[in-house]
Amino acid sequence: MALTALQREEIIKCATDKAYFRGTYLKTVNKRAMLVSLQWNNARRIIHDDLQRYNWIYYVKSRQLGASTEIAADFFHDVMFTPNRKALVIAHLRPSAKEIFSKIYRPFYDNLPKWMREVFRLESSSTEKLQFAHGGKIVVTTAGSEESRSGPYDRLHASECSRYKDFKATIASIFGTATPGAKIVFETTADGPNEAWKFWQGSGDYEHAKQFHKRFLGYDLDHECRGKRTSKMVYEITLKVDEETGVRTTHETNFETDPLNRWEADYMKGNDLDLEQMAWVRWAKGVKCVGDENIFHQEYPIRADLAFILSGKPYFSVMYPDAEAGNDEPGELLFGPPEAAPFKVYALGADCASGMPDGDWSFGLLQDVTDPNRVHDVASVAYRLKTLQFAKVLYELGMRYKAFITIERNTYGAAVIERLIELGYPWMFRQLKMGSAKDKIMEVVGFATQEASRKLALDRLHLALQSRAYRPTCPRVQRHINSFVYNDRGKPEHSAGRFDDGVFAAAMNQAALEEIARHRESQITTRRPSTVWEVADYEMSTGRVFTGDETFGDD
Protein backbone atom coordinates (compact mmCIF):
# COMPACT_ATOMS: atom_id res chain seq x y z
CA MET A 1 0.00 0.00 0.00
CA ALA A 2 1.06 3.58 -0.62
CA LEU A 3 1.84 5.46 2.58
CA THR A 4 1.09 9.12 3.12
CA ALA A 5 3.90 11.45 4.06
CA LEU A 6 2.59 11.56 7.64
CA GLN A 7 2.48 7.77 7.85
CA ARG A 8 6.08 7.49 6.59
CA GLU A 9 7.17 10.01 9.22
CA GLU A 10 5.27 8.08 11.86
CA ILE A 11 7.01 4.81 10.89
CA ILE A 12 10.40 6.51 11.20
CA LYS A 13 9.49 8.07 14.55
CA CYS A 14 8.22 4.73 15.93
CA ALA A 15 11.28 2.84 14.68
CA THR A 16 13.70 5.28 16.32
CA ASP A 17 11.78 6.08 19.51
CA LYS A 18 10.74 3.00 21.49
CA ALA A 19 9.20 4.99 24.32
CA TYR A 20 6.98 6.86 21.87
CA PHE A 21 5.93 3.67 20.06
CA ARG A 22 5.06 1.73 23.24
CA GLY A 23 3.09 4.62 24.72
CA THR A 24 1.23 5.53 21.54
CA TYR A 25 0.41 2.21 19.91
CA LEU A 26 0.84 -0.78 22.24
CA LYS A 27 -2.13 -2.14 24.17
CA THR A 28 -2.36 -5.11 26.48
CA VAL A 29 -4.83 -6.91 28.74
CA ASN A 30 -4.51 -5.75 32.36
CA LYS A 31 -5.17 -7.72 35.58
CA ARG A 32 -8.82 -6.63 35.45
CA ALA A 33 -9.12 -8.28 31.99
CA MET A 34 -9.43 -4.87 30.27
CA LEU A 35 -7.60 -3.82 27.12
CA VAL A 36 -5.48 -0.78 28.03
CA SER A 37 -2.61 1.26 26.65
CA LEU A 38 0.76 0.66 28.28
CA GLN A 39 1.23 2.93 31.28
CA TRP A 40 4.52 3.86 32.89
CA ASN A 41 5.34 2.96 36.46
CA ASN A 42 8.67 3.10 38.27
CA ALA A 43 9.55 -0.55 37.57
CA ARG A 44 8.67 -0.29 33.86
CA ARG A 45 10.78 2.85 33.44
CA ILE A 46 13.75 1.10 35.06
CA ILE A 47 13.32 -1.96 32.81
CA HIS A 48 12.90 0.21 29.69
CA ASP A 49 16.11 2.10 30.46
CA ASP A 50 18.03 -1.11 31.29
CA LEU A 51 17.02 -2.70 27.99
CA GLN A 52 18.56 0.22 26.09
CA ARG A 53 21.83 -0.07 28.04
CA TYR A 54 22.54 -3.76 28.69
CA ASN A 55 22.47 -6.92 26.59
CA TRP A 56 22.32 -9.47 29.42
CA ILE A 57 19.98 -8.69 32.32
CA TYR A 58 18.64 -10.70 35.27
CA TYR A 59 15.58 -9.37 37.11
CA VAL A 60 14.30 -10.76 40.41
CA LYS A 61 11.02 -9.07 41.19
CA SER A 62 7.88 -8.80 43.23
CA ARG A 63 4.61 -9.73 41.60
CA GLN A 64 2.37 -7.54 39.40
CA LEU A 65 4.98 -4.94 38.44
CA GLY A 66 4.52 -5.36 34.67
CA ALA A 67 8.04 -6.66 34.06
CA SER A 68 7.05 -9.29 31.46
CA THR A 69 4.94 -6.72 29.60
CA GLU A 70 7.74 -4.16 29.44
CA ILE A 71 10.27 -6.75 28.22
CA ALA A 72 7.71 -7.86 25.62
CA ALA A 73 7.22 -4.26 24.44
CA ASP A 74 10.96 -3.93 23.82
CA PHE A 75 11.22 -7.28 22.01
CA PHE A 76 8.09 -6.64 19.93
CA HIS A 77 9.51 -3.31 18.74
CA ASP A 78 12.89 -4.85 17.87
CA VAL A 79 11.34 -7.69 15.85
CA MET A 80 8.69 -5.60 14.10
CA PHE A 81 11.07 -2.87 12.91
CA THR A 82 14.05 -5.13 12.10
CA PRO A 83 13.69 -7.66 9.25
CA ASN A 84 14.74 -11.24 10.10
CA ARG A 85 15.10 -10.49 13.83
CA LYS A 86 13.81 -13.39 15.94
CA ALA A 87 12.67 -13.44 19.58
CA LEU A 88 12.07 -16.40 21.88
CA VAL A 89 10.12 -16.26 25.14
CA ILE A 90 10.38 -19.33 27.43
CA ALA A 91 7.74 -19.77 30.14
CA HIS A 92 7.83 -22.44 32.85
CA LEU A 93 4.36 -23.84 32.09
CA ARG A 94 2.18 -24.17 28.99
CA PRO A 95 -0.68 -22.07 30.48
CA SER A 96 1.82 -19.31 31.30
CA ALA A 97 3.15 -19.36 27.74
CA LYS A 98 -0.39 -19.08 26.36
CA GLU A 99 -1.18 -16.20 28.69
CA ILE A 100 1.94 -14.25 27.72
CA PHE A 101 1.11 -14.68 24.04
CA SER A 102 -2.66 -14.08 24.23
CA LYS A 103 -2.61 -11.17 26.71
CA ILE A 104 0.57 -9.39 25.64
CA TYR A 105 2.05 -10.17 22.20
CA ARG A 106 -1.16 -10.86 20.31
CA PRO A 107 -2.93 -7.68 21.55
CA PHE A 108 0.22 -5.69 20.70
CA TYR A 109 -0.15 -6.62 17.04
CA ASP A 110 -3.93 -6.82 16.72
CA ASN A 111 -4.44 -3.30 18.12
CA LEU A 112 -1.99 -1.53 15.83
CA PRO A 113 -3.66 0.78 13.30
CA LYS A 114 -4.81 -1.07 10.20
CA TRP A 115 -2.40 0.81 7.95
CA MET A 116 0.53 -0.13 10.20
CA ARG A 117 -0.48 -3.82 10.19
CA GLU A 118 -0.56 -3.69 6.38
CA VAL A 119 3.01 -2.40 6.34
CA PHE A 120 4.20 -5.03 8.83
CA ARG A 121 2.15 -7.97 7.59
CA LEU A 122 2.10 -11.37 9.23
CA GLU A 123 3.02 -14.28 7.02
CA SER A 124 1.47 -16.65 9.56
CA SER A 125 0.41 -16.84 13.19
CA SER A 126 -0.63 -19.46 15.74
CA THR A 127 -1.37 -19.67 19.44
CA GLU A 128 2.32 -19.23 20.22
CA LYS A 129 3.97 -17.56 17.23
CA LEU A 130 3.86 -14.35 15.17
CA GLN A 131 5.72 -14.75 11.87
CA PHE A 132 6.27 -11.46 10.02
CA ALA A 133 6.45 -11.36 6.25
CA HIS A 134 9.88 -9.64 6.50
CA GLY A 135 11.37 -12.75 8.15
CA GLY A 136 11.16 -11.73 11.78
CA LYS A 137 9.25 -13.82 14.31
CA ILE A 138 8.23 -14.02 17.96
CA VAL A 139 7.83 -17.43 19.59
CA VAL A 140 6.39 -18.00 23.07
CA THR A 141 6.89 -21.56 24.31
CA THR A 142 7.90 -23.64 27.35
CA ALA A 143 11.20 -24.82 28.74
CA GLY A 144 12.26 -28.06 27.06
CA SER A 145 10.09 -27.64 23.96
CA GLU A 146 11.45 -28.19 20.46
CA GLU A 147 11.12 -24.46 19.67
CA SER A 148 13.22 -23.56 22.73
CA ARG A 149 16.08 -25.67 21.35
CA SER A 150 15.88 -24.44 17.76
CA GLY A 151 17.17 -21.13 16.58
CA PRO A 152 19.12 -19.00 16.29
CA TYR A 153 17.40 -16.18 18.21
CA ASP A 154 18.45 -12.56 18.66
CA ARG A 155 16.18 -11.83 21.65
CA LEU A 156 15.61 -14.32 24.48
CA HIS A 157 13.36 -13.84 27.50
CA ALA A 158 13.48 -16.50 30.26
CA SER A 159 10.19 -15.86 32.10
CA GLU A 160 9.84 -17.14 35.70
CA CYS A 161 13.15 -18.96 35.27
CA SER A 162 13.40 -19.91 38.96
CA ARG A 163 10.52 -22.32 38.34
CA TYR A 164 12.03 -24.19 35.41
CA LYS A 165 11.92 -27.93 36.02
CA ASP A 166 15.50 -28.34 34.75
CA PHE A 167 17.13 -24.94 35.19
CA LYS A 168 20.61 -25.97 34.04
CA ALA A 169 19.41 -27.66 30.83
CA THR A 170 17.12 -24.76 29.94
CA ILE A 171 19.81 -22.15 30.52
CA ALA A 172 22.23 -24.18 28.41
CA SER A 173 19.69 -24.31 25.56
CA ILE A 174 19.15 -20.54 25.79
CA PHE A 175 22.85 -19.80 25.37
CA GLY A 176 23.03 -22.48 22.69
CA THR A 177 20.35 -20.82 20.54
CA ALA A 178 21.50 -17.20 21.09
CA THR A 179 23.19 -15.35 18.25
CA PRO A 180 26.40 -13.38 18.90
CA GLY A 181 25.32 -10.10 20.45
CA ALA A 182 21.88 -11.44 21.40
CA LYS A 183 19.88 -9.68 24.10
CA ILE A 184 19.13 -12.15 26.92
CA VAL A 185 16.78 -11.29 29.77
CA PHE A 186 16.06 -13.50 32.77
CA GLU A 187 13.04 -12.44 34.82
CA THR A 188 11.48 -14.19 37.79
CA THR A 189 9.91 -14.06 41.20
CA ALA A 190 12.01 -16.06 43.65
CA ASP A 191 11.24 -19.69 44.48
CA GLY A 192 13.62 -20.55 47.29
CA PRO A 193 17.44 -20.70 47.30
CA ASN A 194 17.65 -22.99 44.24
CA GLU A 195 19.65 -23.02 40.99
CA ALA A 196 18.21 -19.63 39.99
CA TRP A 197 19.60 -18.26 43.27
CA LYS A 198 23.03 -19.68 42.41
CA PHE A 199 22.78 -18.02 39.00
CA TRP A 200 21.91 -14.73 40.72
CA GLN A 201 25.02 -15.11 42.85
CA GLY A 202 27.18 -16.22 39.94
CA SER A 203 28.24 -19.23 42.02
CA GLY A 204 28.56 -22.94 41.39
CA ASP A 205 28.47 -23.73 37.66
CA TYR A 206 27.33 -20.23 36.74
CA GLU A 207 30.46 -18.11 36.60
CA HIS A 208 29.25 -16.50 33.32
CA ALA A 209 26.21 -15.19 35.24
CA LYS A 210 28.51 -12.52 36.68
CA GLN A 211 28.39 -10.86 33.25
CA PHE A 212 24.66 -10.17 33.71
CA HIS A 213 23.38 -6.83 34.92
CA LYS A 214 21.34 -7.84 37.97
CA ARG A 215 18.48 -5.84 39.41
CA PHE A 216 15.91 -6.52 42.11
CA LEU A 217 12.50 -4.91 41.58
CA GLY A 218 10.67 -4.70 44.90
CA TYR A 219 7.06 -3.89 45.72
CA ASP A 220 8.21 -0.44 46.87
CA LEU A 221 8.51 0.54 43.19
CA ASP A 222 4.76 0.06 42.72
CA HIS A 223 2.85 3.32 43.21
CA GLU A 224 -0.17 1.28 44.31
CA CYS A 225 1.79 -0.04 47.31
CA ARG A 226 1.47 3.20 49.28
CA GLY A 227 -1.22 5.24 50.95
CA LYS A 228 -2.23 8.84 50.37
CA ARG A 229 -2.11 11.30 53.27
CA THR A 230 -5.57 12.73 53.96
CA SER A 231 -4.68 14.59 57.18
CA LYS A 232 -1.65 15.03 59.43
CA MET A 233 -1.15 11.35 60.39
CA VAL A 234 -3.96 9.65 58.48
CA TYR A 235 -3.32 7.72 55.26
CA GLU A 236 -5.78 6.18 52.82
CA ILE A 237 -5.12 3.13 50.63
CA THR A 238 -7.16 2.54 47.50
CA LEU A 239 -8.07 -1.14 47.36
CA LYS A 240 -10.41 -1.16 44.36
CA VAL A 241 -11.90 1.21 41.80
CA ASP A 242 -15.19 0.40 40.08
CA GLU A 243 -14.45 0.78 36.36
CA GLU A 244 -17.99 1.95 35.54
CA THR A 245 -18.82 4.29 38.43
CA GLY A 246 -15.30 5.29 39.53
CA VAL A 247 -16.26 4.59 43.17
CA ARG A 248 -13.22 3.66 45.26
CA THR A 249 -12.99 1.09 48.05
CA THR A 250 -10.46 2.35 50.59
CA HIS A 251 -8.72 1.47 53.86
CA GLU A 252 -7.67 4.12 56.39
CA THR A 253 -4.63 4.02 58.67
CA ASN A 254 -4.27 6.51 61.54
CA PHE A 255 -0.72 6.63 62.88
CA GLU A 256 -1.69 9.18 65.53
CA THR A 257 -4.18 6.95 67.35
CA ASP A 258 -2.33 3.73 66.41
CA PRO A 259 1.38 4.58 66.11
CA LEU A 260 4.05 2.38 64.55
CA ASN A 261 4.85 -0.68 66.65
CA ARG A 262 8.43 -1.82 67.18
CA TRP A 263 8.51 -4.17 64.19
CA GLU A 264 7.06 -1.49 61.91
CA ALA A 265 9.49 1.16 63.15
CA ASP A 266 12.48 -1.15 62.61
CA TYR A 267 11.20 -2.20 59.17
CA MET A 268 10.63 1.42 58.13
CA LYS A 269 14.08 2.54 59.26
CA GLY A 270 15.91 -0.51 57.92
CA ASN A 271 14.40 -0.17 54.45
CA ASP A 272 14.24 3.64 54.24
CA LEU A 273 10.47 3.79 53.78
CA ASP A 274 8.06 6.65 54.43
CA LEU A 275 4.69 6.69 56.20
CA GLU A 276 2.78 6.46 52.93
CA GLN A 277 4.49 3.14 52.25
CA MET A 278 4.12 2.01 55.87
CA ALA A 279 0.35 2.53 55.64
CA TRP A 280 0.31 -0.06 52.86
CA VAL A 281 2.77 -2.34 54.72
CA ARG A 282 0.52 -2.36 57.79
CA TRP A 283 -2.53 -3.19 55.67
CA ALA A 284 -0.78 -5.88 53.59
CA LYS A 285 0.81 -7.55 56.61
CA GLY A 286 -2.39 -7.46 58.64
CA VAL A 287 -4.91 -8.38 55.92
CA LYS A 288 -3.05 -10.28 53.21
CA CYS A 289 -0.56 -11.98 55.53
CA VAL A 290 -2.82 -12.53 58.59
CA GLY A 291 -0.47 -10.42 60.71
CA ASP A 292 2.48 -12.79 60.24
CA GLU A 293 5.74 -10.97 59.53
CA ASN A 294 7.37 -14.11 58.09
CA ILE A 295 4.54 -14.53 55.58
CA PHE A 296 4.84 -10.83 54.73
CA HIS A 297 8.59 -11.22 54.05
CA GLN A 298 7.88 -14.24 51.86
CA GLU A 299 5.12 -12.61 49.82
CA TYR A 300 6.50 -9.07 49.69
CA PRO A 301 10.30 -9.22 49.93
CA ILE A 302 12.05 -5.89 49.73
CA ARG A 303 15.55 -7.29 49.06
CA ALA A 304 16.78 -9.98 46.68
CA ASP A 305 18.34 -12.10 49.45
CA LEU A 306 15.04 -12.18 51.34
CA ALA A 307 13.18 -12.90 48.10
CA PHE A 308 15.15 -16.10 47.48
CA ILE A 309 15.65 -17.26 51.04
CA LEU A 310 12.15 -16.67 52.34
CA SER A 311 10.30 -18.08 49.34
CA GLY A 312 9.91 -21.78 48.52
CA LYS A 313 7.87 -22.78 51.62
CA PRO A 314 10.68 -22.62 54.22
CA TYR A 315 10.54 -25.15 57.06
CA PHE A 316 12.26 -22.99 59.67
CA SER A 317 11.02 -19.57 60.74
CA VAL A 318 14.56 -18.22 61.20
CA MET A 319 16.83 -17.24 58.31
CA TYR A 320 20.47 -16.22 57.91
CA PRO A 321 20.81 -14.09 54.74
CA ASP A 322 24.44 -13.13 55.38
CA ALA A 323 25.54 -16.78 55.17
CA GLU A 324 24.51 -16.95 51.51
CA ALA A 325 27.64 -15.06 50.47
CA GLY A 326 29.68 -18.26 50.91
CA ASN A 327 29.71 -21.77 49.45
CA ASP A 328 30.16 -25.19 51.00
CA GLU A 329 33.77 -26.37 50.77
CA PRO A 330 35.30 -29.55 52.21
CA GLY A 331 37.25 -29.46 55.45
CA GLU A 332 36.99 -28.49 59.10
CA LEU A 333 35.71 -25.11 60.28
CA LEU A 334 36.49 -24.04 63.84
CA PHE A 335 34.40 -21.60 65.88
CA GLY A 336 35.67 -22.35 69.39
CA PRO A 337 38.70 -23.75 71.24
CA PRO A 338 40.84 -26.27 69.31
CA GLU A 339 40.30 -28.89 72.03
CA ALA A 340 38.04 -29.54 75.01
CA ALA A 341 37.91 -26.73 77.59
CA PRO A 342 37.68 -27.59 81.32
CA PHE A 343 34.16 -28.35 82.62
CA LYS A 344 32.68 -28.05 79.14
CA VAL A 345 30.45 -30.68 77.53
CA TYR A 346 30.40 -31.34 73.79
CA ALA A 347 28.06 -33.18 71.42
CA LEU A 348 28.87 -34.27 67.87
CA GLY A 349 25.91 -34.92 65.55
CA ALA A 350 26.63 -36.56 62.20
CA ASP A 351 24.81 -37.12 58.93
CA CYS A 352 26.61 -39.70 56.79
CA ALA A 353 26.57 -40.10 53.01
CA SER A 354 28.07 -42.41 50.39
CA GLY A 355 31.19 -40.38 49.61
CA MET A 356 30.39 -40.10 45.89
CA PRO A 357 32.21 -37.13 44.28
CA ASP A 358 28.96 -35.41 43.25
CA GLY A 359 26.79 -36.67 46.12
CA ASP A 360 25.76 -35.32 49.51
CA TRP A 361 28.29 -34.30 52.13
CA SER A 362 29.13 -36.41 55.13
CA PHE A 363 28.71 -33.80 57.81
CA GLY A 364 29.62 -33.54 61.47
CA LEU A 365 28.59 -30.68 63.79
CA LEU A 366 30.37 -30.25 67.12
CA GLN A 367 28.49 -28.15 69.68
CA ASP A 368 29.07 -26.91 73.19
CA VAL A 369 26.04 -28.29 75.07
CA THR A 370 27.20 -27.50 78.61
CA ASP A 371 24.11 -25.32 79.03
CA PRO A 372 21.23 -26.81 76.97
CA ASN A 373 19.67 -23.32 76.79
CA ARG A 374 22.81 -21.79 75.28
CA VAL A 375 23.97 -24.34 72.70
CA HIS A 376 26.53 -23.02 70.23
CA ASP A 377 28.68 -24.38 67.41
CA VAL A 378 32.33 -25.20 68.04
CA ALA A 379 33.36 -26.90 64.81
CA SER A 380 31.96 -28.55 61.69
CA VAL A 381 33.44 -31.06 59.26
CA ALA A 382 32.18 -31.66 55.73
CA TYR A 383 33.72 -34.20 53.37
CA ARG A 384 32.83 -36.50 50.51
CA LEU A 385 34.69 -39.48 51.98
CA LYS A 386 34.03 -43.21 52.06
CA THR A 387 32.31 -44.28 55.28
CA LEU A 388 35.41 -45.74 56.97
CA GLN A 389 37.41 -42.60 56.23
CA PHE A 390 34.65 -40.37 57.60
CA ALA A 391 34.43 -42.56 60.72
CA LYS A 392 38.10 -41.77 61.38
CA VAL A 393 37.39 -38.01 61.01
CA LEU A 394 34.57 -38.27 63.58
CA TYR A 395 36.69 -40.41 65.91
CA GLU A 396 39.57 -37.92 65.97
CA LEU A 397 37.31 -34.89 66.38
CA GLY A 398 35.24 -36.61 69.06
CA MET A 399 38.28 -37.67 71.08
CA ARG A 400 39.71 -34.13 70.99
CA TYR A 401 36.60 -32.87 72.75
CA LYS A 402 35.36 -36.03 74.54
CA ALA A 403 32.15 -35.46 72.60
CA PHE A 404 28.95 -37.47 72.76
CA ILE A 405 28.34 -38.69 69.18
CA THR A 406 24.89 -39.22 67.68
CA ILE A 407 24.63 -40.69 64.19
CA GLU A 408 21.56 -41.55 62.16
CA ARG A 409 21.45 -45.34 61.84
CA ASN A 410 20.77 -45.51 58.10
CA THR A 411 22.69 -47.40 55.38
CA TYR A 412 25.84 -45.27 55.51
CA GLY A 413 25.49 -44.27 59.15
CA ALA A 414 25.43 -47.94 60.21
CA ALA A 415 28.84 -48.51 58.60
CA VAL A 416 30.29 -45.45 60.36
CA ILE A 417 28.83 -46.61 63.70
CA GLU A 418 30.35 -50.07 63.29
CA ARG A 419 33.77 -48.58 62.59
CA LEU A 420 33.56 -46.29 65.64
CA ILE A 421 32.70 -49.29 67.79
CA GLU A 422 35.72 -51.15 66.36
CA LEU A 423 37.91 -48.16 67.21
CA GLY A 424 36.56 -48.26 70.79
CA TYR A 425 34.86 -44.85 70.80
CA PRO A 426 33.34 -44.59 74.31
CA TRP A 427 30.52 -41.99 74.10
CA MET A 428 27.79 -42.78 71.61
CA PHE A 429 23.99 -42.50 71.47
CA ARG A 430 22.19 -45.75 72.24
CA GLN A 431 18.56 -46.85 72.08
CA LEU A 432 16.72 -49.82 73.47
CA LYS A 433 14.63 -51.92 71.08
CA MET A 434 12.68 -55.15 71.26
CA GLY A 435 14.60 -58.16 69.98
CA SER A 436 13.28 -61.02 67.89
CA ALA A 437 12.26 -62.82 71.06
CA LYS A 438 9.36 -60.90 72.59
CA ASP A 439 10.89 -60.76 76.05
CA LYS A 440 14.36 -59.77 74.88
CA ILE A 441 15.39 -56.11 74.90
CA MET A 442 18.43 -55.09 72.89
CA GLU A 443 20.64 -52.02 73.04
CA VAL A 444 21.59 -50.58 69.64
CA VAL A 445 23.98 -47.75 68.83
CA GLY A 446 22.76 -44.83 66.70
CA PHE A 447 19.54 -42.91 66.17
CA ALA A 448 16.84 -44.82 64.29
CA THR A 449 15.18 -42.41 61.86
CA GLN A 450 11.64 -43.28 60.95
CA GLU A 451 9.11 -40.66 59.90
CA ALA A 452 7.95 -40.00 63.48
CA SER A 453 11.43 -39.81 65.02
CA ARG A 454 12.69 -37.67 62.11
CA LYS A 455 9.86 -35.22 62.72
CA LEU A 456 10.62 -35.19 66.46
CA ALA A 457 14.29 -34.37 65.83
CA LEU A 458 13.43 -31.59 63.38
CA ASP A 459 10.76 -30.19 65.69
CA ARG A 460 13.25 -30.06 68.56
CA LEU A 461 15.74 -28.26 66.36
CA HIS A 462 13.08 -25.79 65.22
CA LEU A 463 12.05 -25.10 68.82
CA ALA A 464 15.68 -24.55 69.87
CA LEU A 465 16.16 -22.09 66.99
CA GLN A 466 12.93 -20.23 67.75
CA SER A 467 13.66 -19.97 71.46
CA ARG A 468 17.30 -19.11 70.74
CA ALA A 469 18.45 -21.96 72.91
CA TYR A 470 20.57 -22.69 69.85
CA ARG A 471 22.05 -19.86 67.79
CA PRO A 472 24.05 -21.35 64.90
CA THR A 473 27.32 -19.65 64.03
CA CYS A 474 28.51 -22.18 61.45
CA PRO A 475 27.79 -20.63 58.00
CA ARG A 476 27.36 -24.12 56.52
CA VAL A 477 24.56 -24.89 58.97
CA GLN A 478 23.03 -21.46 58.42
CA ARG A 479 22.94 -22.02 54.64
CA HIS A 480 21.40 -25.46 55.08
CA ILE A 481 18.71 -24.01 57.37
CA ASN A 482 17.98 -21.31 54.77
CA SER A 483 17.41 -23.86 52.01
CA PHE A 484 15.40 -26.40 54.03
CA VAL A 485 11.89 -26.28 52.55
CA TYR A 486 8.70 -28.28 52.14
CA ASN A 487 8.60 -30.12 48.82
CA ASP A 488 5.48 -30.58 46.67
CA ARG A 489 4.41 -33.56 48.83
CA GLY A 490 4.77 -31.56 52.04
CA LYS A 491 7.97 -33.34 53.12
CA PRO A 492 10.80 -31.14 54.46
CA GLU A 493 14.06 -31.41 52.52
CA HIS A 494 16.73 -29.26 50.89
CA SER A 495 15.71 -27.17 47.90
CA ALA A 496 17.03 -28.04 44.43
CA GLY A 497 20.80 -27.83 44.17
CA ARG A 498 21.32 -27.28 47.90
CA PHE A 499 22.16 -29.45 50.95
CA ASP A 500 20.54 -30.31 54.28
CA ASP A 501 23.35 -32.28 55.96
CA GLY A 502 23.99 -29.54 58.51
CA VAL A 503 20.30 -29.49 59.46
CA PHE A 504 20.27 -33.21 60.24
CA ALA A 505 23.59 -33.09 62.07
CA ALA A 506 22.19 -30.36 64.33
CA ALA A 507 18.92 -32.30 64.66
CA MET A 508 20.83 -35.38 65.85
CA ASN A 509 22.22 -33.42 68.79
CA GLN A 510 18.74 -32.15 69.66
CA ALA A 511 17.29 -35.66 69.41
CA ALA A 512 19.87 -36.94 71.89
CA LEU A 513 19.22 -34.33 74.63
CA GLU A 514 18.24 -36.85 77.32
CA GLU A 515 21.26 -39.06 76.66
CA ILE A 516 23.51 -35.99 76.51
CA ALA A 517 22.23 -34.94 79.96
CA ARG A 518 23.71 -38.10 81.46
CA HIS A 519 26.93 -37.59 79.52
CA ARG A 520 27.01 -33.98 80.73
CA GLU A 521 26.96 -35.03 84.38
CA SER A 522 29.80 -37.52 83.89
CA GLN A 523 31.97 -34.98 82.05
CA ILE A 524 31.39 -32.11 84.46
CA THR A 525 32.33 -34.24 87.43
CA THR A 526 35.42 -35.89 85.90
CA ARG A 527 37.84 -34.00 88.13
CA ARG A 528 37.60 -31.64 91.09
CA PRO A 529 38.49 -27.96 90.46
CA SER A 530 41.68 -27.28 92.43
CA THR A 531 42.30 -23.54 92.00
CA VAL A 532 40.26 -20.38 92.36
CA TRP A 533 40.31 -20.01 88.56
CA GLU A 534 39.10 -23.57 88.02
CA VAL A 535 36.29 -23.03 90.54
CA ALA A 536 35.27 -19.93 88.58
CA ASP A 537 35.38 -21.94 85.32
CA TYR A 538 33.32 -24.69 86.89
CA GLU A 539 30.64 -22.28 88.15
CA MET A 540 30.44 -20.31 84.90
CA SER A 541 30.27 -23.45 82.76
CA THR A 542 27.76 -25.37 84.83
CA GLY A 543 25.72 -22.58 86.39
CA ARG A 544 26.25 -24.30 89.76
CA VAL A 545 27.71 -22.91 92.98
CA PHE A 546 30.78 -24.90 94.02
CA THR A 547 30.43 -25.91 97.71
CA GLY A 548 33.25 -28.42 98.02
CA ASP A 549 30.84 -31.19 99.07
CA GLU A 550 30.39 -32.49 95.50
CA THR A 551 31.71 -35.90 94.42
CA PHE A 552 34.19 -35.95 91.54
CA GLY A 553 35.77 -38.79 89.60
CA ASP A 554 39.30 -38.09 90.91
CA ASP A 555 38.34 -38.02 94.60
Side-chain angles (χ1 to χ4, degrees), residues 42-59:
N42 291 333
R44 286 179 175 176
R45 285 193 180 278
I46 288 170
I47 293 169
H48 175 81
D49 291 346
D50 284 347
L51 289 166
Q52 314 322 307
R53 297 177 61 193
Y54 306 104
N55 260 17
W56 291 6
I57 311 172
Y58 188 177
Y59 292 113

Side-chain angles (χ1 to χ4, degrees), residues 287-300:
V287 176
K288 289 196 166 188
C289 305
V290 294
D292 191 309
E293 62 191 65
N294 291 316
I295 296 175
F296 178 78
H297 282 313
Q298 291 169 38
E299 295 301 315
Y300 300 102

Side-chain angles (χ1 to χ4, degrees), residues 229-267:
R229 192 170 75 169
T230 57
S231 62
K232 186 176 180 181
M233 293 293 283
V234 179
Y235 295 82
E236 185 180 83
I237 302 165
T238 299
L239 304 179
K240 183 181 178 182
V241 179
D242 189 290
E243 300 291 346
E244 295 182 0
T245 65
V247 175
R248 297 184 305 130
T249 303
T250 62
H251 173 84
E252 188 176 272
T253 298
N254 189 328
F255 287 121
E256 187 169 11
T257 59
D258 188 9
L260 295 171
N261 60 37
R262 183 173 179 179
W263 180 87
E264 291 171 336
D266 289 344
Y267 185 81

Side-chain angles (χ1 to χ4, degrees), residues 81-138:
F81 288 102
T82 312
N84 300 310
R85 180 156 287 171
K86 299 174 176 63
L88 175 67
V89 183
I90 302 176
H92 67 301
L93 296 172
R94 176 64 60 187
S96 300
K98 287 183 176 180
E99 184 170 329
I100 291 171
F101 187 84
S102 65
K103 291 187 177 181
I104 302 177
Y105 282 99
R106 189 78 227 192
F108 279 175
Y109 184 81
D110 289 346
N111 290 282
L112 293 173
K114 183 179 179 181
W115 67 266
M116 193 176 283
R117 280 186 278 123
E118 289 180 1
V119 174
F120 299 99
R121 290 184 300 104
L122 291 181
E123 182 179 279
S124 63
S125 66
S126 66
T127 57
E128 62 178 28
K129 181 164 65 174
L130 295 177
Q131 177 75 54
F132 287 89
H134 63 37
K137 70 176 180 179
I138 298 169

